Each structure stands twice: as structure tokens, then as C-alpha cells.
Amino acid sequence: MSGIDEASDEIIELVANHYNGQGTQDGQGPSTDDMLGALGAITADQLVKVCVSPDNIKQSSRWISGQEVDDLLYRRADDTLYIIVCSGALALGMAFESLPDMEEIVARASMGDLLPVVPPLTVDEAFYPQDWPPNAAVRFRPYVNAILDKHKVRGEERAMACAFATAKMIRMATEHYDDAQVPLLIALETLAGVARMTPLEKEID
């Protein structure tokens, strides 16, 4: 677990340094919404890499066919990314019965071309990340891979390390929101939405 814990801290540092730098350039502070969206997307990127067959990833399609990610994402009994990400809110006192329904989140994320916004977020538009999360996934991908390789994190634990980073960011970010559901939903809905997308090969303007 130490490798996962250390890797998750470095992933947070990587993302925070990027958005802190952007905040300095435009005269505003770093966007917590952007950081949560980026970490949710990074987690989805590793989830897809670990779980999805190459046959179900076609660069000619916007979407991934199949539901290979769902067991690790939320369906199995324990050690799901859903529970790991939610641990950030649970640690702050959110009741387990108040956690968002992941079945509903995934159902929305699976609507494909019917989605008006990708990833589909139900939070107020004021909390939408300004940096489109799928772009963050591809931008940070080589650096996240290097961090995970350095700490010898392998297999599905690569996605778990990113989920732990997301949970830690939720704990840190809660003071920026009146409702702790907001950062949790940004993270979970981004994670589910990006996990249904064909991974980008480069950023889209």
C-alpha cells in the first residue's frame, strides 16, 4: 500500500502544480473544480487502460463498446474505485446512505451521443471544470504513468492509486464548497463519463 499512497501524493502534486501555475498566469487562484475533474479523468484513463480490451477501443468511435470497467469501478463487493473515491467524503463525516448512486451515474454516462455534455455533470454549471477533463487525462498521462512505474504500482492498483489521489483531493477541497456532495459528484461523474470515452491520443482544442 505504501507505493500506492506515495504515488497518489505525487499525482496530486503533479496536478496541483499545473493548475497553480495557470492561476498565477491569469491572476486567479487555482480552480479546485479543474483539479477534481482532472483527477477523475486521470483515474478513468488508468481504469480503461487496465480493464478494456483493445478490441473495444476504436479510434474511429467516440465511445468504448462494452462494460468491462464496471466491476472495478463500482460493481464488485469491495476495493472499487467508487468506494475509494467516496472515502474522501466519508472521512469528512458524510453518511454512507448519502453517497451518490453510482448505478445512476454510470447509466447517465452510458448514453453516448445523447449526452449534451461530456462528461455529464449534474452539479450547478458554476462548478463545471473550465479545463475539459478528457484533455487533462491525455495531458497528464505520461507523467502519471512515470509516477506509477517509479513506485512499482501495477495492474488494477494503478487505477486505485489515482482514485486515492482523487479521494485525498476531495478531503482537501471540501472547504471550497458549501455542500460536500459537489466535489464528490464532480469526481465521480467525471470518472464514469471519461471511462465510457475512447481515450484521446492528443488534446482537443
Side-chain angles (χ1 to χ4, degrees):
M1 182 62 75
S2 62
I4 293 177
D5 191 45
E6 292 168 3
S8 67
D9 287 340
E10 289 191 28
I11 291 167
I12 291 175
E13 184 178 7
L14 169 72
V15 171
N17 284 344
H18 174 81
Y19 291 107
N20 274 317
Q22 282 200 334
T24 299
Q25 291 169 15
D26 64 18
Q28 301 177 354
S31 167
T32 306
D33 308 328
D34 283 334
M35 289 190 278
L36 286 164
L39 286 165
I42 287 167
T43 304
D45 198 57
Q46 292 296 324
L47 173 62
V48 169
K49 183 178 180 181
V50 167
C51 293
V52 179
S53 163
D55 292 339
N56 284 339
I57 299 179
K58 298 178 180 177
Q59 292 302 324
S60 60
S61 172
R62 190 180 184 188
W63 311 107
I64 293 171
S65 62
Q67 301 174 330
E68 296 159 290
V69 303
D70 288 352
D71 281 348
L72 178 54
L73 179 57
Y74 75 103
R75 278 188 174 161
R76 66 191 192 189
D78 53 17
D79 292 334
T80 64
L81 303 187
Y82 169 71
I83 289 299
I84 293 171
V85 172
C86 288
S87 69
L90 293 171
L92 294 165
M94 182 180 287
F96 190 86
E97 56 269 21
S98 298
L99 294 177
D101 185 333
M102 199 62 185
E103 193 82 46
E104 291 181 6
I105 290 174
V106 170
R108 250 190 330 271
S110 302
M111 292 171 62
D113 290 335
L114 297 177
L115 292 170
V117 179
V118 180
L121 299 179
T122 59
V123 297
D124 189 280
E125 287 188 19
F127 300 113
Y128 281 22
Q130 297 303 300
D131 184 26
W132 191 47
N135 275 344
V138 68
R139 179 188 314 127
F140 292 116
R141 183 181 294 147
Y143 307 104
V144 170
N145 283 336
I147 289 169
L148 296 171
D149 289 345
K150 181 178 79 171
H151 291 285
K152 297 180 172 56
V153 182
R154 299 183 176 88
E156 66 182 32
E157 290 187 347
R158 294 174 78 86
M160 289 180 179
C162 298
F164 276 115
T166 308
K168 291 175 182 179
M169 178 58 68
I170 290 169
R171 288 202 301 272
M172 292 186 283
T174 300
E175 65 186 56
H176 297 283
Y177 303 93
D178 293 331
D179 182 356
Q181 285 273 3
V182 173
L184 183 57
L185 282 170
I186 293 172
L188 288 175
E189 291 176 342
T190 301
L191 168 54
V194 178
R196 284 292 192 260
M197 290 182 63
T198 298
L200 298 182
E201 294 185 327
K202 61 181 180 179
E203 293 185 49
I204 296 176
D205 294 331

